[in-house]
Amino acid sequence: MDVTTAFFYLFSAVMLFAAFQVITARNPVHAVLFLMLAFSQAAGLWLLLQAEFLAVILVLVYLGAVMVLFLFVVMMLDIHIERIRRGFWRNFPLALAVGAVIAIEMGIVVVGGFDLTHAPAMADALNQSGQYSNTRALGVLLYGHYLFPVEVAVTILLVAMIAAIALTYRERHDNKAIDPGLQVRVQPKDRVQILKMASTQAAPPPAPAPAASGTKTPEAKS
């Protein structure tokens, strides 16, 4: 067994353990942490498959942003664990059936959807050529062959984002709002007032000097 195979079994075992803990953990925060561990092991598997771009995206996007967001949301939510546990065994047969169907579908795709006989030879030929880039191949595949599904997915995500903002928006009455329509229809005379003023003005007359305290005015003598 070489080093690559040993790391493959190590990453796979840790990922399976973390995935099992995600669905069996009693604390939601612990479940999110185990999910982050599973994603990190999946990134290691991508590195072993020489898909560095996918591994970096998995770490940056899911571990660095999405999972951290999920963790904060789960920590701030007031989740009643006991209430959720009551319906676990009632829905367990349905969940088991759905899981079996998903497992069968994944097995069919893995076994029949990939040509594993010619894959090692093709990978070795591409690596020896030195001109192959998995990032470029992924971009050509997504934005070339699967362009329409990508556009549909982007549109659905955009609609979901707008719907989430609209559902959570609450109008506040203690803040000042600006109407863009009034800003567009404003006229210069409503904002600016022009005043005509003389360019020069006469100097004001000098103020009279105050009388001394020891002198008497003519009115006082009379």
Side-chain angles (χ1 to χ4, degrees), residues 74-161:
V74 170
M75 292 175 62
M76 290 187 295
L77 289 179
D78 186 12
I79 302 177
H80 300 281
I81 305 299
E82 298 297 333
R83 186 182 304 174
I84 297 176
R85 290 177 183 173
R86 295 173 186 173
F88 175 78
W89 293 108
R90 184 175 66 248
N91 300 323
F92 181 74
L94 178 60
L96 188 62
V98 173
V101 171
I102 294 176
I104 294 174
E105 291 178 350
M106 292 179 62
I108 294 174
V109 171
V110 171
V111 174
F114 299 96
D115 188 6
L116 300 179
T117 58
H118 302 287
M122 294 176 61
D124 294 338
L126 291 173
N127 292 331
Q128 292 176 2
S129 64
Q131 299 178 355
Y132 178 74
S133 173
N134 53 15
T135 305
R136 182 177 182 276
L138 182 63
V140 171
L141 188 64
L142 286 178
Y143 300 106
H145 186 69
Y146 295 104
L147 178 60
F148 181 72
V150 169
E151 291 181 350
V152 172
V154 169
T155 305
I156 293 175
L157 291 176
L158 179 61
V159 172
M161 182 181 64

Side-chain angles (χ1 to χ4, degrees), residues 5-195:
T5 306
F7 274 109
F8 173 79
Y9 283 115
L10 176 63
F11 291 151
S12 301
V14 176
M15 185 176 66
L16 291 176
F17 170 76
F20 182 76
Q21 290 295 324
V22 169
I23 61 177
T24 57
R26 297 183 177 183
N27 193 335
V29 177
H30 295 169
V32 175
L33 293 177
F34 278 116
L35 186 59
M36 296 176 67
L37 177 61
F39 280 154
S40 63
Q41 302 305 305
L45 292 177
W46 281 119
L47 287 176
L48 293 179
L49 295 175
Q50 298 181 359
E52 299 85 3
F53 177 76
L54 294 178
V56 172
I57 291 298
L58 187 61
V59 172
L60 293 180
V61 177
Y62 284 92
L63 291 181
V66 178
M67 283 296 101
V68 175
L69 178 62
F70 283 177
L71 181 61
F72 280 103
V73 169
V74 170
M75 292 175 62
M76 290 187 295
L77 289 179
D78 186 12
I79 302 177
H80 300 281
I81 305 299
E82 298 297 333
R83 186 182 304 174
I84 297 176
R85 290 177 183 173
R86 295 173 186 173
F88 175 78
W89 293 108
R90 184 175 66 248
N91 300 323
F92 181 74
L94 178 60
L96 188 62
V98 173
V101 171
I102 294 176
I104 294 174
E105 291 178 350
M106 292 179 62
I108 294 174
V109 171
V110 171
V111 174
F114 299 96
D115 188 6
L116 300 179
T117 58
H118 302 287
M122 294 176 61
D124 294 338
L126 291 173
N127 292 331
Q128 292 176 2
S129 64
Q131 299 178 355
Y132 178 74
S133 173
N134 53 15
T135 305
R136 182 177 182 276
L138 182 63
V140 171
L141 188 64
L142 286 178
Y143 300 106
H145 186 69
Y146 295 104
L147 178 60
F148 181 72
V150 169
E151 291 181 350
V152 172
V154 169
T155 305
I156 293 175
L157 291 176
L158 179 61
V159 172
M161 182 181 64
I162 296 175
I165 295 174
L167 291 175
T168 57
Y169 175 75
R170 297 292 183 271
E171 185 177 359
R172 297 179 56 183
H173 300 283
D174 58 345
N175 57 357
K176 296 181 180 180
I178 299 176
D179 189 0
L182 296 178
Q183 292 182 331
V184 173
R185 294 191 299 268
V186 70
Q187 300 294 328
K189 61 181 180 180
D190 300 332
R191 294 294 180 89
V192 181
Q193 184 178 3
I194 300 177
L195 300 177

